[in-house]
Amino acid sequence: MDLAHPAPESAVIESAVVELAPGKLNLALHVTGRRGDGYHLLESLVVFTRFGDRLHIEPAAQDSFAIDGPFSGQLDANADNLVIRAREALRNAVPETARAALSPVAIRLEKNLPIASGVGGGSSDAAAVLRCLNGLWNCGLDDDALREIGAGLGADVPMCLAAQPLTARGIGDSIEPAADFPALALVLVNPGVAVSTPDVFARLTRRDGESLPPLPRTIDFHSLRNWLETTRNDLEPAAREIQPAIGQALAALDKAGSGFSRMSGSGATCFGLFETGNVAKRAALAIRAKHPGWFVAATRSMPSQGADGERQG
């Protein structure tokens, strides 16, 4: 299956490369089963947003890693960070005879996405490192090779490498691009709380939900909203029990005029779907004014390759 696509919003600034690590949104998420090893089987419609973390990477005299940005205080720049693990995984994937030619790199992570918030921040950061260093080091690894490396870092990393509208199945390892999927006008809201993914799964009362229905033949704001009304996020009820503030975030989106509101992933970030970008921006301003301590961002999702990215106004 061909998931080749241009890397999202990468840019070269002098000798440094800046790579976007987009936010990942689960527009719908059904839990359909559980494997013998304990991993849950999922079906999810996923899009990626133009708002996200940013990786600044450049050749250096020695490897280094630093974190700044609004949510930097919640992360440690140690060897357990997915950014460092992705750097070392790519380095180790290169034949040992060629490894010495790989220059040390200085990596700075601009952390703009909330931590433990259901938008795939760490996985998207790792994917951005793999994409960026594959080019900077001239590794020449194809998409399949990068996905194999990414899968060793986390179930969400392969889909974050794709960074385009897709349906993910299994534990996230089976990925099918969504064709002719337009850009969506969105508002992201996190009420300032983190949610533990294992805690959410532990509270599930049902693990055998039905599959996602087929996507509409033509996808626009109205057809997608109607389709979403027939789907669920099976993790939302459990997450709302753990963090009732999620319900407040969803209510704020509805009050601001969202055409459809839902929690993403295991929470606590929620999204609202709006008919145009201008309406989304006004809604974000209204929510931010009433809840200045919350994370609020108006953004667009990335369209599928070749789709009309301006369809949503």
Side-chain angles (χ1 to χ4, degrees):
M1 188 176 303
D2 184 12
L3 286 168
H5 66 291
E9 293 192 17
S10 63
V12 178
I13 302 176
E14 296 179 351
S15 60
V17 179
V18 181
E19 182 86 7
L20 174 68
K24 175 183 70 70
L25 288 184
N26 301 93
L27 298 185
L29 195 164
H30 290 194
V31 178
T32 59
R34 193 176 192 180
R35 301 194 319 194
D37 59 7
Y39 280 97
H40 287 82
L41 300 175
L42 311 172
E43 289 196 10
S44 183
L45 177 64
V46 178
V47 297
F48 294 83
T49 66
R50 297 191 181 279
F51 184 91
D53 297 339
R54 289 189 181 273
L55 275 297
H56 302 250
I57 304 178
E58 61 184 327
Q62 60 183 18
D63 285 332
S64 65
F65 177 44
I67 309 174
D68 60 19
F71 295 98
S72 59
Q74 302 175 36
L75 283 180
D76 293 324
N78 57 31
D80 289 332
N81 190 287
L82 272 168
V83 168
I84 300 302
R85 290 172 56 198
R87 182 195 69 194
E88 292 309 298
L90 185 61
R91 187 174 268 150
N92 291 332
V94 174
E96 190 171 356
T97 53
R99 215 169 289 164
L102 304 182
S103 68
V105 287
I107 302 177
R108 177 169 63 86
L109 169 61
E110 180 185 314
K111 193 64 186 171
N112 299 314
L113 292 167
I115 310 300
S117 64
V119 290
S123 296
S124 192
D125 294 343
V129 170
L130 293 178
R131 282 194 305 264
C132 188
L133 287 182
N134 187 44
L136 190 65
W137 282 341
N138 294 313
C139 297
L141 298 179
D142 61 17
D143 287 353
D144 288 339
L146 288 178
R147 281 195 293 273
E148 184 175 350
I149 296 169
L153 297 168
D156 283 355
V157 178
M159 71 177 78
C160 289
L161 279 164
Q164 61 176 305
L166 56 86
T167 300
R169 295 182 174 86
I171 61 171
D173 53 341
S174 176
I175 299 170
E176 180 182 353
D180 300 320
F181 205 102
L184 307 174
L186 300 160
V187 174
L188 312 182
V189 175
N190 186 293
V193 296
V195 180
S196 163
T197 299
D199 289 351
V200 171
F201 276 103
R203 287 196 181 213
L204 288 180
T205 58
R206 182 179 176 184
R207 296 176 169 85
D208 59 349
E210 68 275 11
S211 298
L212 290 174
L215 282 169
R217 187 180 301 272
T218 301
I219 300 173
D220 58 20
F221 169 81
H222 299 286
S223 65
L224 181 63
R225 179 186 60 189
N226 292 341
W227 182 86
L228 287 170
E229 294 283 1
T230 70
T231 67
R232 309 177 306 278
N233 179 348
D234 284 336
L235 305 185
E236 187 176 312
R240 290 178 68 162
E241 287 180 9
I242 296 169
Q243 289 289 2
I246 294 169
Q248 299 170 22
L250 291 166
L253 283 163
D254 290 340
K255 189 172 182 179
S258 168
F260 182 87
S261 307
R262 176 170 281 165
M263 186 189 81
S264 176
S266 58
T269 302
C270 301
F271 67 87
L273 176 65
F274 291 82
E275 192 160 5
T276 71
N278 286 335
V279 175
K281 290 175 185 176
R282 290 195 294 270
L285 288 172
I287 297 171
R288 197 176 293 117
K290 293 181 180 179
H291 303 279
W294 288 6
F295 163 81
V296 183
T299 186
R300 283 181 174 278
S301 66
M302 297 178 183
S304 57
Q305 196 170 4
D308 179 6
E310 299 305 316
R311 196 175 298 173
Q312 290 301 310

